[in-house]
Amino acid sequence: MTKKPKQDPTEQTIVTKVEKMPTEAEKKAYILFLSGPLVGKLQQLKEGETILGRAEDIDVSINDSRISRKHLSVKVVSGETTLTDLGSTNGTFVNGKRMQSQILKDGDKVQISSSTIFKFAYQDNIENIFHKELYKMAVVDAVTGIFNKRYFLDRLKEEFSHAKRAKNPLSLAMIDVDHFKKINDTQGHLAGDFVLAHLAETIKKMVRGEDVFARYGGEEFVIILRGTEEQGAFQLAERIRKTIETQPAHFESATIPVTISIGIATLDGGEEFSSPEAFIEAADQYLYKAKQAGRNRTISKKNKS
């Protein structure tokens, strides 16, 4: 009996099960609330129309006094999802622009009040989007898209400890939007949120990848500047301040001038701080001096604009 020659393993065909790739029609539409009374809620959008608003007898009721009773509808038809504003008082904004009706794309962010923001997703795996977005919600500010206060405080502890041990310089810039209450009072809270997002987008382009830029709360922002001495931090802060001053925010038909005040504290051996909290307090005190001196300026221990 003739033996068959052994086949080279590299020439053998391996039989595997090929999973069917989901088509667009098979994917499901979801909205995930990033902020507001329903923060963390993941809502699947079924075929047909879903009404969102403040009323109790609708599909998704949101206890938010700044939205209308029947604020908007989201209609899913044959894999296409269309958002329509239902004549709301304060409007519906998709990715920062007021919209009456729009076909939603995966990743679109919808804001219907200063506190209620949700994200649209078109996915076949609910767990993937849920866990991914929950992580983002834990570390990213929903309005500005930059890191939030919780993430900043955690990172500052790490950076502060490392700078102390390595005897490296570390600077902290604290930024406050000048007369922000006036913007909210005259232009509305959604305009105020737009200004914050505009400011965050502008500054984000000016900081290094290793720096930590975050929203500290309200109209305050912070930047952790690793390995940066006071003079370098002051020069960056001044570039940021002057750029913001020359680039007003354009919200719908309104042009909104924006200026900022900045305070800088530096850990460089010349000024010691006992804790990250003391470091923050020092930056805040220099920010206070900048505002007291007339706003739209930068102040650190050795420098003032």
Side-chain angles (χ1 to χ4, degrees):
M1 186 173 182
T2 306
K3 290 184 178 180
K4 292 182 179 180
K6 287 186 178 180
Q7 189 175 1
D8 186 344
T10 61
E11 295 180 358
Q12 293 179 359
T13 300
I14 299 173
V15 179
T16 59
K17 182 181 179 182
V18 179
E19 299 290 343
K20 178 187 175 185
M21 294 295 290
T23 65
E24 287 299 312
E26 290 172 329
K27 290 185 178 181
K28 296 179 175 62
Y30 299 92
I31 56 175
L32 177 65
F33 286 87
L34 304 178
S35 65
L38 297 184
V39 61
K41 178 181 175 63
L42 184 68
Q43 176 84 32
Q44 181 181 340
L45 301 172
K46 297 181 179 179
E47 191 81 4
E49 187 176 43
T50 301
I51 306 293
L52 290 79
R54 198 177 73 249
E56 295 181 0
D57 57 345
I58 58 176
D59 302 305
V60 181
S61 180
I62 309 167
N63 185 22
D64 182 342
S65 61
R66 292 191 177 95
I67 67 176
S68 298
R69 289 180 57 77
K70 291 186 178 180
H71 196 103
L72 63 90
S73 77
V74 184
K75 185 178 291 186
V76 181
V77 179
S78 301
E80 186 173 86
T81 304
T82 304
L83 176 147
T84 303
D85 184 271
L86 299 177
S88 67
T89 302
N90 293 319
T92 298
F93 295 78
V94 180
N95 301 326
K97 295 183 179 179
R98 186 191 287 262
M99 293 295 173
Q100 177 57 41
S101 183
Q102 179 171 319
I103 295 173
L104 293 177
K105 302 185 299 294
D106 186 41
D108 280 346
K109 189 166 72 172
V110 180
Q111 182 167 9
I112 56 178
S113 80
S114 58
S115 62
T116 298
I117 302 172
F118 63 83
K119 186 174 183 178
F120 174 76
Y122 207 46
Q123 299 287 327
D124 60 289
N125 190 331
I126 185 173
E127 289 188 1
N128 283 350
I129 177 178
F130 191 56
H131 292 300
K132 178 181 176 183
E133 294 301 332
L134 279 183
Y135 171 74
K136 282 187 180 179
M137 287 165 57
V139 301
V140 173
D141 174 63
V143 171
T144 61
I146 61 175
F147 291 120
N148 60 19
K149 183 177 181 179
R150 172 182 169 183
Y151 181 85
F152 158 72
L153 292 174
D154 287 343
R155 281 295 305 274
L156 183 63
K157 289 178 183 177
E158 296 172 6
E159 297 294 340
F160 186 85
S161 177
H162 179 269
K164 281 265 194 179
R165 289 196 311 270
K167 300 188 184 316
N168 290 333
L170 181 71
S171 290
L172 177 64
M174 184 163 283
I175 302 167
D176 186 87
V177 183
D178 297 330
H179 304 294
F180 185 68
K181 184 178 183 300
K182 183 178 179 181
I183 295 173
N184 275 338
D185 291 345
T186 58
Q187 303 291 341
H189 288 276
L190 289 178
D193 285 352
F194 182 86
V195 167
L196 296 177
H198 161 76
L199 187 148
E201 183 179 5
T202 303
I203 296 177
K204 191 175 182 179
K205 295 174 183 176
M206 302 180 69
V207 298
R208 303 170 302 177
E210 63 265 34
D211 298 331
V212 177
F213 177 41
R215 185 181 180 188
Y216 191 67
E219 66 271 26
E220 285 191 323
F221 297 83
V222 283
I223 311 173
I224 303 174
L225 297 160
R226 178 192 291 181
T228 305
E229 297 178 345
E230 181 181 336
Q231 189 60 36
F234 182 83
Q235 290 173 353
L236 172 64
E238 276 295 275
R239 287 200 301 273
I240 290 172
R241 183 186 67 79
K242 291 174 182 177
T243 299
I244 294 297
E245 185 179 21
T246 59
Q247 295 184 10
H250 301 283
F251 179 74
E252 298 189 295
S253 60
T255 298
I256 307 173
V258 184
T259 62
I260 56 176
S261 300
I262 308 175
I264 297 171
T266 301
L267 177 70
D268 61 0
E271 184 172 4
E272 292 299 323
F273 302 100
S274 59
S275 66
E277 291 75 20
F279 195 31
I280 294 172
E281 178 63 25
D284 192 49
Q285 285 300 314
Y286 288 122
L287 171 61
Y288 178 76
K289 290 179 180 180
K291 295 175 78 66
Q292 288 295 104
R295 296 183 171 85
N296 191 22
R297 64 195 64 218
T298 303
I299 291 183
S300 64
K301 184 179 181 181
K302 300 175 185 176
N303 297 276
K304 61 175 67 176
S305 60

